[in-house]
Amino acid sequence: MTRKSNSCLNEYYADLHIHIGRTTSGQAVKISGSKDLTFANIAKEAAGRKGIDLVGIIDCHSPEVQKDIMDCLYAGDMSELEGGGISYQGTTILLGSEIEIYEEGKGAAHLLAYFPDLSVMQHFTAWMTKHMKNVNLSSQRIYVPARKLQEEIYARGGIMIPAHVFTPHKGIYGNVTPRMSEVLDLDMISGVELGLSSDSEMAGLISELDSFTFVTNSDAHSLGKIGREYNRIKLAEPSFNELVLALGNKEGRQVTANFGLNPRLGKYHRTYCLSCSRILDQNEAMTGACPHCGGLKKVQGVLDRILDIADRKESWSPASRPIYHYQVPLEFIPGLGKVTMKKLLDRFGTEMSILHRTAEAELAEVVGGSMAKQIVMARNGSLSLTSGGGGTYGRVAASTDKT
């Protein structure tokens, strides 16, 4: 296939980590996911309300999910693309899987695998069935060495991205090892997902990550969470093959921006005492016992974990690394409820349009000056925040502006 020239490249919005809660038949896939998160509903939400051009739907390894995909293809609602992926109303769906690895004496971590088409994903499922207790469910543990899993992914033309790498809940750095190279073959990693509680500057304290492109994704467990973190990617078209080029910064394709929560909003940003439910600051987190209650059980926060394993005192980023934009999702804005959101969508079409293409004055015509200002501050990441930790999200302070 002939590649399009650099002059034909455009920028697209991508969220590459969205879970399936249930199949159309009602079978659970991601136990903690919403029942509304079916393959078809995710496609409709991403293409319609969200305005996202490239979505990675995780859990497509499940045979029951694959039946739903085939139904969508046979009905003519969707079609497979030559460059990899499935097309639906201008949005491209990438078929992905989240898999749990376990290293004896270290811990468990989640890895994301993506494949170009359904037939390859089905072939991968057949292999995983021999090494997994229940291939129908999401994020299941696979009983092979991590490097063997990588080999099987790449032998099929797939790519692998470690998921939410710093979180204490199944992150490769947060829960397993201070260096990925102890567990994974770095030559078979196509990118790194930062997770909701970290950003590029924090990750820049670890030199092992210098060669990798960072991505920020929602890890959505409900339709409303789709697009809470996402990327802007320069591509000839939204497809699997083009994404592979972009992650490798090849032929002009590249991830040009990460749009993510300020890490303070992430629910694992700071260390948390399980005994008294307090979020601990850096000095308190370093003590053996909680200074407030004396408890010894803590969930180490992402920030404190990164500081523990950092091999640099100052953050550094290569010139090719995407710009990281702090952005608060619209649903986090105090006072922006369903009625107000409907007004905005009726006028401007999608959330991506509201966040990226609409001037403050236009927003004010619909929702008033105060809310318009809040939306612009959310867009710029300048809202006042409180830190999250221990599985609880941080919060956006309510505005006192009455204009």
Side-chain angles (χ1 to χ4, degrees):
M1 185 177 69
T2 303
R3 299 282 187 202
K4 294 183 179 180
S5 68
N6 291 0
S7 62
C8 297
L9 302 183
N10 294 296
E11 290 189 319
Y12 299 93
Y13 295 111
D15 179 355
L16 304 174
H17 189 164
I18 301 166
H19 281 284
I20 290 179
R22 298 290 187 277
T23 63
T24 302
S25 65
Q27 178 177 307
V29 181
K30 185 71 173 179
I31 301 296
S32 58
S34 166
K35 295 179 181 180
D36 295 332
L37 276 173
T38 65
F39 186 84
N41 283 350
I42 293 168
K44 292 174 184 176
E45 181 78 5
R49 178 187 177 101
K50 299 294 181 178
I52 296 174
D53 306 294
L54 187 65
V55 291
I57 300 185
I58 307 305
D59 310 325
C60 292
H61 66 275
S62 168
E64 290 298 313
V65 172
Q66 290 167 8
K67 289 180 183 178
D68 285 350
I69 298 171
M70 286 187 284
D71 286 344
C72 291
L73 292 171
Y74 293 154
D77 298 329
M78 302 182 186
S79 60
E80 290 198 289
L81 295 169
E82 181 182 353
I86 293 175
S87 177
Y88 174 78
Q89 295 186 1
T91 289
T92 297
I93 301 162
L94 300 181
L95 305 183
S97 175
E98 185 173 61
I99 307 153
E100 182 173 299
I101 59 168
Y102 180 77
E103 290 294 312
E104 194 69 39
K106 294 180 182 290
H110 288 170
L111 307 178
L112 302 172
Y114 302 88
F115 295 97
D117 57 47
L118 181 57
S119 64
V120 178
M121 178 62 83
Q122 290 172 321
H123 192 269
F124 183 65
T125 295
W127 173 77
M128 283 208 301
T129 301
K130 304 171 186 176
H131 307 284
M132 186 176 284
K133 290 182 178 179
N134 191 345
V135 79
N136 288 291
L137 294 178
S138 171
S139 312
Q140 296 300 288
R141 182 169 296 178
I142 192 161
Y143 294 91
V144 299
R147 287 183 174 87
K148 173 63 174 174
L149 173 61
Q150 289 179 279
E151 290 171 3
E152 294 291 336
I153 292 168
Y154 282 84
R156 291 171 172 80
I159 60 173
M160 192 278 287
I161 296 175
H164 41 72
V165 291
F166 296 113
T167 62
H169 180 66
K170 308 298 174 65
I172 188 77
Y173 286 120
N175 193 51
V176 179
T177 178
R179 294 292 174 264
M180 287 196 300
S181 57
E182 296 179 1
V183 175
L184 300 172
D185 183 339
L186 299 187
D187 291 332
M188 288 189 284
I189 296 176
S190 295
V192 169
E193 183 184 75
L194 293 174
L196 302 182
S197 297
S198 63
D199 60 18
S200 295
E201 184 175 2
M202 294 164 65
L205 292 170
I206 299 174
S207 62
E208 185 180 55
L209 293 173
D210 289 353
S211 63
F212 297 110
T213 295
F214 292 162
V215 292
T216 46
N217 301 311
S218 67
D219 193 1
H221 286 48
S222 66
L223 290 174
K225 293 293 191 293
I226 295 173
R228 64 178 167 181
E229 292 204 346
Y230 56 96
N231 312 275
R232 188 177 66 222
I233 311 182
K234 185 180 290 185
L235 307 166
E237 62 183 5
S239 71
F240 176 86
N241 290 343
E242 287 286 313
L243 174 65
V244 173
L245 290 174
L247 292 173
N249 288 302
K250 296 178 180 178
E251 300 180 30
R253 282 74 167 169
Q254 63 180 138
V255 179
T256 58
N258 302 133
F259 293 90
L261 299 173
N262 185 308
R264 291 174 61 196
L265 284 173
K267 61 182 180 179
Y268 297 111
H269 181 58
R270 297 313 311 259
T271 296
Y272 182 84
C273 175
L274 292 172
S275 298
C276 67
S277 302
R278 286 178 183 264
I279 294 173
L280 308 179
D281 65 28
Q282 185 177 342
N283 291 331
E284 293 172 335
M286 293 173 65
T287 61
C290 173
H292 301 284
C293 73
L296 296 175
K297 293 184 177 181
K298 305 173 186 176
V299 177
Q300 188 178 37
V302 166
L303 175 61
D304 301 305
R305 174 61 173 169
I306 290 175
L307 293 175
D308 273 355
I309 66 175
D311 60 350
R312 288 189 179 121
K313 293 184 178 180
E314 299 291 334
S315 180
W316 181 86
S317 293
S320 60
R321 182 155 291 165
I323 299 169
Y324 195 103
H325 296 277
Y326 291 146
Q327 184 170 276
V328 175
L330 294 172
E331 67 166 348
F332 276 53
I333 300 175
L336 206 169
K338 292 182 179 179
V339 174
T340 302
M341 192 66 200
K342 185 178 186 304
K343 290 179 181 178
L344 289 165
L345 291 170
D346 287 346
R347 175 71 177 274
F348 304 114
T350 67
E351 291 188 15
M352 291 299 105
S353 292
I354 295 166
L355 286 167
H356 293 284
R357 305 183 186 104
T358 307
E360 184 174 350
E362 293 178 278
L363 294 169
E365 292 175 2
V366 178
V367 296
S370 179
M371 180 56 69
K373 183 177 180 180
Q374 288 275 90
I375 292 171
V376 171
M377 291 175 71
R379 178 188 296 172
N380 299 334
S382 56
L383 291 167
S384 180
L385 311 173
T386 60
S387 294
T392 301
Y393 288 108
R395 295 182 180 273
V396 177
S399 173
T400 58
D401 185 1
K402 301 299 183 182
T403 59

